[in-house]
PDB file of all heavy atoms in Angstrom:
ATOM      1  N   LEU X 150      -3.560 -64.050  -9.788  1.00 96.00           N
ATOM      2  CA  LEU X 150      -3.842 -63.492  -8.495  1.00 96.00           C
ATOM      3  C   LEU X 150      -2.531 -63.025  -7.816  1.00 96.00           C
ATOM      4  O   LEU X 150      -2.530 -61.981  -7.147  1.00 96.00           O
ATOM      5  CB  LEU X 150      -4.574 -64.523  -7.664  1.00 96.00           C
ATOM      6  CG  LEU X 150      -4.964 -64.070  -6.258  1.00 96.00           C
ATOM      7  CD1 LEU X 150      -6.017 -62.991  -6.353  1.00 96.00           C
ATOM      8  CD2 LEU X 150      -5.487 -65.230  -5.468  1.00 96.00           C
ATOM      9  N   VAL X 151      -1.481 -63.840  -7.931  1.00 97.00           N
ATOM     10  CA  VAL X 151      -0.191 -63.404  -7.347  1.00 97.00           C
ATOM     11  C   VAL X 151       0.287 -62.178  -8.019  1.00 97.00           C
ATOM     12  O   VAL X 151       0.781 -61.220  -7.321  1.00 97.00           O
ATOM     13  CB  VAL X 151       0.772 -64.633  -7.451  1.00 97.00           C
ATOM     14  CG1 VAL X 151       2.163 -64.153  -7.170  1.00 97.00           C
ATOM     15  CG2 VAL X 151       0.420 -65.716  -6.592  1.00 97.00           C
ATOM     16  N   PHE X 152       0.174 -62.050  -9.312  1.00 97.00           N
ATOM     17  CA  PHE X 152       0.632 -60.829  -9.989  1.00 97.00           C
ATOM     18  C   PHE X 152      -0.136 -59.610  -9.604  1.00 97.00           C
ATOM     19  O   PHE X 152       0.456 -58.489  -9.435  1.00 97.00           O
ATOM     20  CB  PHE X 152       0.610 -61.034 -11.480  1.00 97.00           C
ATOM     21  CG  PHE X 152       1.566 -62.000 -12.053  1.00 97.00           C
ATOM     22  CD1 PHE X 152       1.183 -62.792 -13.166  1.00 97.00           C
ATOM     23  CD2 PHE X 152       2.767 -62.288 -11.458  1.00 97.00           C
ATOM     24  CE1 PHE X 152       2.094 -63.783 -13.581  1.00 97.00           C
ATOM     25  CE2 PHE X 152       3.688 -63.268 -11.938  1.00 97.00           C
ATOM     26  CZ  PHE X 152       3.299 -63.981 -12.979  1.00 97.00           C
ATOM     27  N   VAL X 153      -1.446 -59.733  -9.400  1.00 98.00           N
ATOM     28  CA  VAL X 153      -2.312 -58.580  -9.009  1.00 98.00           C
ATOM     29  C   VAL X 153      -1.859 -58.181  -7.588  1.00 98.00           C
ATOM     30  O   VAL X 153      -1.735 -57.016  -7.212  1.00 98.00           O
ATOM     31  CB  VAL X 153      -3.769 -58.950  -9.057  1.00 98.00           C
ATOM     32  CG1 VAL X 153      -4.633 -58.010  -8.273  1.00 98.00           C
ATOM     33  CG2 VAL X 153      -4.186 -59.024 -10.504  1.00 98.00           C
ATOM     34  N   PHE X 154      -1.625 -59.219  -6.665  1.00 98.00           N
ATOM     35  CA  PHE X 154      -1.247 -58.883  -5.253  1.00 98.00           C
ATOM     36  C   PHE X 154       0.088 -58.209  -5.285  1.00 98.00           C
ATOM     37  O   PHE X 154       0.337 -57.170  -4.547  1.00 98.00           O
ATOM     38  CB  PHE X 154      -1.201 -60.159  -4.468  1.00 98.00           C
ATOM     39  CG  PHE X 154      -0.636 -59.966  -3.066  1.00 98.00           C
ATOM     40  CD1 PHE X 154      -1.433 -59.371  -2.136  1.00 98.00           C
ATOM     41  CD2 PHE X 154       0.620 -60.310  -2.762  1.00 98.00           C
ATOM     42  CE1 PHE X 154      -0.975 -59.145  -0.839  1.00 98.00           C
ATOM     43  CE2 PHE X 154       1.184 -60.069  -1.462  1.00 98.00           C
ATOM     44  CZ  PHE X 154       0.312 -59.581  -0.535  1.00 98.00           C
ATOM     45  N   LEU X 155       1.084 -58.696  -6.080  1.00 98.00           N
ATOM     46  CA  LEU X 155       2.405 -58.043  -6.132  1.00 98.00           C
ATOM     47  C   LEU X 155       2.287 -56.609  -6.650  1.00 98.00           C
ATOM     48  O   LEU X 155       3.044 -55.718  -6.224  1.00 98.00           O
ATOM     49  CB  LEU X 155       3.339 -58.868  -6.986  1.00 98.00           C
ATOM     50  CG  LEU X 155       3.829 -60.183  -6.369  1.00 98.00           C
ATOM     51  CD1 LEU X 155       4.694 -60.953  -7.306  1.00 98.00           C
ATOM     52  CD2 LEU X 155       4.634 -59.945  -5.023  1.00 98.00           C
ATOM     53  N   GLY X 156       1.528 -56.435  -7.677  1.00 98.00           N
ATOM     54  CA  GLY X 156       1.286 -55.086  -8.252  1.00 98.00           C
ATOM     55  C   GLY X 156       0.721 -54.131  -7.215  1.00 98.00           C
ATOM     56  O   GLY X 156       1.156 -53.006  -7.137  1.00 98.00           O
ATOM     57  N   LEU X 157      -0.279 -54.614  -6.446  1.00 98.00           N
ATOM     58  CA  LEU X 157      -0.844 -53.722  -5.458  1.00 98.00           C
ATOM     59  C   LEU X 157       0.083 -53.369  -4.318  1.00 98.00           C
ATOM     60  O   LEU X 157       0.211 -52.301  -3.836  1.00 98.00           O
ATOM     61  CB  LEU X 157      -2.121 -54.396  -4.803  1.00 98.00           C
ATOM     62  CG  LEU X 157      -3.430 -54.423  -5.701  1.00 98.00           C
ATOM     63  CD1 LEU X 157      -4.465 -55.242  -5.072  1.00 98.00           C
ATOM     64  CD2 LEU X 157      -3.839 -53.031  -6.002  1.00 98.00           C
ATOM     65  N   ALA X 158       0.930 -54.440  -3.910  1.00 98.00           N
ATOM     66  CA  ALA X 158       1.901 -54.197  -2.873  1.00 98.00           C
ATOM     67  C   ALA X 158       2.962 -53.202  -3.339  1.00 98.00           C
ATOM     68  O   ALA X 158       3.415 -52.324  -2.610  1.00 98.00           O
ATOM     69  CB  ALA X 158       2.561 -55.498  -2.549  1.00 98.00           C
ATOM     70  N   ALA X 159       3.347 -53.264  -4.635  1.00 98.00           N
ATOM     71  CA  ALA X 159       4.331 -52.306  -5.182  1.00 98.00           C
ATOM     72  C   ALA X 159       3.742 -50.964  -5.217  1.00 98.00           C
ATOM     73  O   ALA X 159       4.414 -49.947  -4.916  1.00 98.00           O
ATOM     74  CB  ALA X 159       4.762 -52.806  -6.531  1.00 98.00           C
ATOM     75  N   PHE X 160       2.427 -50.817  -5.560  1.00 98.00           N
ATOM     76  CA  PHE X 160       1.838 -49.560  -5.676  1.00 98.00           C
ATOM     77  C   PHE X 160       1.730 -48.889  -4.255  1.00 98.00           C
ATOM     78  O   PHE X 160       1.954 -47.715  -4.093  1.00 98.00           O
ATOM     79  CB  PHE X 160       0.462 -49.658  -6.307  1.00 98.00           C
ATOM     80  CG  PHE X 160      -0.251 -48.301  -6.515  1.00 98.00           C
ATOM     81  CD1 PHE X 160       0.271 -47.417  -7.462  1.00 98.00           C
ATOM     82  CD2 PHE X 160      -1.366 -47.958  -5.821  1.00 98.00           C
ATOM     83  CE1 PHE X 160      -0.291 -46.198  -7.597  1.00 98.00           C
ATOM     84  CE2 PHE X 160      -2.011 -46.798  -5.978  1.00 98.00           C
ATOM     85  CZ  PHE X 160      -1.494 -45.869  -6.855  1.00 98.00           C
ATOM     86  N   VAL X 161       1.388 -49.703  -3.263  1.00 98.00           N
ATOM     87  CA  VAL X 161       1.237 -49.178  -1.867  1.00 98.00           C
ATOM     88  C   VAL X 161       2.625 -48.749  -1.390  1.00 98.00           C
ATOM     89  O   VAL X 161       2.816 -47.675  -0.798  1.00 98.00           O
ATOM     90  CB  VAL X 161       0.621 -50.270  -0.970  1.00 98.00           C
ATOM     91  CG1 VAL X 161       0.863 -49.874   0.522  1.00 98.00           C
ATOM     92  CG2 VAL X 161      -0.804 -50.434  -1.216  1.00 98.00           C
ATOM     93  N   LEU X 162       3.649 -49.523  -1.746  1.00 98.00           N
ATOM     94  CA  LEU X 162       4.988 -49.159  -1.343  1.00 98.00           C
ATOM     95  C   LEU X 162       5.470 -47.883  -2.023  1.00 98.00           C
ATOM     96  O   LEU X 162       6.078 -46.951  -1.457  1.00 98.00           O
ATOM     97  CB  LEU X 162       5.935 -50.266  -1.705  1.00 98.00           C
ATOM     98  CG  LEU X 162       7.455 -50.153  -1.197  1.00 98.00           C
ATOM     99  CD1 LEU X 162       7.536 -50.116   0.258  1.00 98.00           C
ATOM    100  CD2 LEU X 162       8.250 -51.259  -1.739  1.00 98.00           C
TER     101      LEU X 162
END
Side-chain angles (χ1 to χ4, degrees):
L150 182 65
V151 167
F152 293 146
V153 166
F154 176 75
L155 288 176
L157 287 174
F160 184 68
V161 167
L162 187 64

